[in-house]
Amino acid sequence: MKTIDLAESSIRELNQALHDQATECTEREWAVLNPRGQHNIACGLDQNLAVDIQGHAGYFCAGMNKKAHVVVHGNVGQGVAENMMSGTVRVKGDASQAAGATAHGGLLVIEGNAGARCGISMKGVDIVVKGSIGHMSCFMGQSGSLVVCGDAGDALGDSMYEVHIYVKGKVKSLGADCTEKEMRPEHIDELTELLNRAGVDEDPRSFKRYGSARELYNFKVDNADAY
Amino acid sequence: MCGIVGLYLKNPELESRIGELFKPMLIAMTERGPDSAGFAIYGDEVGDDWIKLTLRHPETDYDWEALATRLKTELLLELNWFQNASVAVFKVRGEEAALREWLAEEAPDVLILSVGQSIEILKEVGLPEKIADTFNLDGMQGSHIIGHTRMATESAVTMEGSHPFSTGMDLCLVHNGSLSNHNRLRENLKREGINFETENDSEVAAGYLTWRLKQGDSLKDALEHALEDLDGFFTFTIGTRDGFAVMRDPIACKPAVLAETDDYVAMASEYQALTTLPGIENARVWEPEPATFYVWERSSH
C-alpha cells in the first residue's frame, strides 16, 4: 500500500500520482492521510485502484471517477463523485449538496445523510443513501437508481426522466411530474441487488417507488414538430 | 463567493486564546474572499452605564487623543480609549444617541463601526492575513468572534462595504450570498428609524434584525421573521452580546458547516477553515439545514 500524506503533499501531487496509474498500474492500494477538507481529492481516476481517504474531504471528492474504488472515512463537501463513470465511491459520514451530480455510472454509497440536490441530473449512476436526503434531489434525473433508507426532502424527482427512486421513509413533497409507482417483482429484485451491492441491511419490501409520470411537455410526441 | 467563519466558546478557559484560534480560520477562507476581511469580537465588556465604540478615520494619523480630550472637556464625559491600527476603541460613560449626534456634528469624518457593551468591529480592504496582522488578531481575547472574507458582488470593494455589519447595540452580521429585495427593505427600515451607512445588501439584513429586536423579538423570533421577509441567497452568522446564530435560506446554495465540542461551537463556509481547532477530529460536524436557524446563547446579563 502507498500512503500519501496531504499535510506534506499537494492535491496536485496526489492526483498526478493516482493518474499515473492509468497507463501502468504499479500500486493498487492507496491511503490518503490528513485530507483536512481540501477540495478535488482523488479526482479523475482511471484505474482499478482502492483509495482510502482518512478524514473529511472537501468539494468534488472522487469526481469523474472511472474504475476506482474510493472510500472516505469522514464527511464530504459538495459534489462528491460528480460525473462518475464507473467504480464505487463510499462515504462513511455525511455528504453535502449535489452528491453524484450528473454521474453516468458506478455506485455511490453514502452511509450518513446527503444534503440538497442529491443525484441532480444523474445519468446512470446508482446512489444508495443510508440516511436521508435534502430538497430537489434527483432533479432532472435521467437514468440510474436512487435508494434512500431515510427520508427525502422537498420536490423529490422534479422534472425527472427514467431514474428509479426508492425511498423507505417519508417524502416531504414530490417535485413536478414525479409520482409514486407500483413496486412490482422486478423492482424488488432490482432494489435487493442494489442494497446488497451497497452492503445495506434493509427489507426491500419496506420501500416505495417513485418515478416520472411522463406528463411534462417534453414527453408529448405532439410537441415534436415544434422543432 | 465570500467566506464566513465564527467561533463561540463554551469553555471560558479558552477566552484568552480566541484570537489565536480564530486567525487561521479567517486566513483559510482567503480563496473565497480576497477583497476585504473583517471580524467582530465580543469581550472586554464595559459596565452598565458605559458604552464601547469602534471608530475609524480615513487618515491613519488622525489625532484620537485630541478627539478624546474634546469629548472629556466639551461633553464632560468619563472615557478611556486605545488605538488599534486604523481604528480606535472608545469606552465612554454616556448615551449612544448624544454621542452619535456630537460626532456627526463635530467629527463628521469619524465612522462608527460598532456600538455596544462588548462588541468591537475591525475590518479593512485587503487579504485576510494582512488584516489579521494589522489588528493583532492572534493576541485578542473574548467569548465569541465572527469573521468574513469578501468577494464583492453587490457593492464596491471598500472598507465601508466590508463585513461584519453592525446596525444596533452589540449586533453584527456576516453574509455569504446576495439579497434580492434589499432596496425595498432598506427604504422600509429607514422609515422605522434604522440608519444605514452603505448601499450594501448585507447591511440591510443586519438592519432588519436590529429592527426586529427593537420590536421586542428574541433573537430566535427575529430570525424566524427574517426567513419570511428576506428574499435571496444567504448563509448568515450573527453575533449578539450573549449569543451566536447561524441561518441558511431555503434554497441553501451557499455553503455552511458547523462543528461542536464541549469547548466551542464553530461555523465556517468550508470545513477547511475548522481543521486547526483543538479537538476537531472528534467534534460533531454537520451541515446546517435549509431554512433553519441555530442559536447558542449564554444566560443573559
Short mmCIF file of all heavy atoms in Angstrom, two decimals, chain A residues 8 32 34 105 108 121 127 145 166 187 210 213:
data_model
loop_
_atom_site.label_atom_id
_atom_site.label_comp_id
_atom_site.label_asym_id
_atom_site.label_seq_id
_atom_site.Cartn_x
_atom_site.Cartn_y
_atom_site.Cartn_z
N GLU A 8 1.82 16.92 3.82
CA GLU A 8 3.14 17.14 3.19
C GLU A 8 3.05 17.28 1.68
O GLU A 8 3.85 17.99 1.07
CB GLU A 8 4.07 15.96 3.54
CG GLU A 8 4.55 16.01 4.98
CD GLU A 8 4.96 14.64 5.50
OE1 GLU A 8 5.14 13.72 4.69
OE2 GLU A 8 5.07 14.51 6.74
N VAL A 32 -4.81 7.95 1.83
CA VAL A 32 -4.61 9.40 1.82
C VAL A 32 -4.83 9.90 3.24
O VAL A 32 -5.92 9.75 3.80
CB VAL A 32 -5.58 10.09 0.85
CG1 VAL A 32 -5.39 11.59 0.88
CG2 VAL A 32 -5.41 9.54 -0.56
N ASN A 34 -4.63 12.98 6.31
CA ASN A 34 -4.83 14.42 6.56
C ASN A 34 -5.51 15.17 5.40
O ASN A 34 -4.99 16.19 4.94
CB ASN A 34 -3.48 15.10 6.87
CG ASN A 34 -2.93 14.62 8.19
OD1 ASN A 34 -3.63 14.65 9.21
ND2 ASN A 34 -1.70 14.13 8.17
N GLY A 105 -22.35 6.45 -14.24
CA GLY A 105 -22.30 5.03 -13.89
C GLY A 105 -21.64 4.83 -12.55
O GLY A 105 -21.31 5.79 -11.85
N LEU A 108 -22.49 4.93 -5.87
CA LEU A 108 -22.15 5.88 -4.80
C LEU A 108 -22.94 5.49 -3.56
O LEU A 108 -24.17 5.42 -3.62
CB LEU A 108 -22.52 7.32 -5.24
CG LEU A 108 -22.49 8.39 -4.14
CD1 LEU A 108 -21.09 8.57 -3.56
CD2 LEU A 108 -23.00 9.73 -4.70
N SER A 121 -29.57 15.62 -11.94
CA SER A 121 -29.23 15.30 -13.33
C SER A 121 -28.40 14.02 -13.47
O SER A 121 -27.53 13.92 -14.33
CB SER A 121 -28.49 16.48 -13.98
OG SER A 121 -28.56 16.35 -15.38
N ILE A 127 -27.17 5.32 -6.71
CA ILE A 127 -26.84 6.01 -5.46
C ILE A 127 -27.64 5.36 -4.33
O ILE A 127 -28.86 5.20 -4.45
CB ILE A 127 -27.19 7.52 -5.54
CG1 ILE A 127 -26.46 8.18 -6.72
CG2 ILE A 127 -26.84 8.22 -4.22
CD1 ILE A 127 -26.80 9.66 -6.93
N SER A 145 -30.43 4.61 -10.51
CA SER A 145 -31.36 4.48 -9.40
C SER A 145 -30.86 5.22 -8.17
O SER A 145 -29.65 5.36 -7.96
CB SER A 145 -31.62 3.01 -9.04
OG SER A 145 -30.66 2.18 -9.59
N TYR A 166 -36.22 4.84 -4.95
CA TYR A 166 -36.81 4.03 -3.87
C TYR A 166 -36.56 4.75 -2.54
O TYR A 166 -35.42 5.05 -2.21
CB TYR A 166 -36.16 2.64 -3.82
CG TYR A 166 -36.28 1.86 -5.11
CD1 TYR A 166 -35.23 1.82 -6.03
CD2 TYR A 166 -37.45 1.16 -5.41
CE1 TYR A 166 -35.34 1.09 -7.22
CE2 TYR A 166 -37.58 0.43 -6.59
CZ TYR A 166 -36.51 0.41 -7.49
OH TYR A 166 -36.63 -0.31 -8.66
N HIS A 187 -38.91 -4.75 -9.49
CA HIS A 187 -38.35 -3.65 -8.70
C HIS A 187 -37.79 -4.16 -7.37
O HIS A 187 -36.76 -3.69 -6.90
CB HIS A 187 -39.40 -2.56 -8.49
CG HIS A 187 -39.93 -2.03 -9.77
ND1 HIS A 187 -41.26 -2.13 -10.14
CD2 HIS A 187 -39.29 -1.42 -10.81
CE1 HIS A 187 -41.42 -1.61 -11.34
NE2 HIS A 187 -40.24 -1.18 -11.78
N TYR A 210 -40.76 5.65 -6.70
CA TYR A 210 -41.20 6.89 -7.34
C TYR A 210 -40.56 7.01 -8.71
O TYR A 210 -39.44 6.55 -8.93
CB TYR A 210 -40.81 8.11 -6.49
CG TYR A 210 -41.38 8.04 -5.08
CD1 TYR A 210 -40.67 7.38 -4.07
CD2 TYR A 210 -42.62 8.58 -4.78
CE1 TYR A 210 -41.19 7.28 -2.78
CE2 TYR A 210 -43.16 8.49 -3.50
CZ TYR A 210 -42.43 7.83 -2.50
OH TYR A 210 -42.95 7.73 -1.24
N ALA A 213 -44.13 10.66 -14.09
CA ALA A 213 -45.47 10.42 -14.63
C ALA A 213 -45.48 10.64 -16.14
O ALA A 213 -46.46 10.34 -16.81
CB ALA A 213 -46.48 11.34 -13.95
#
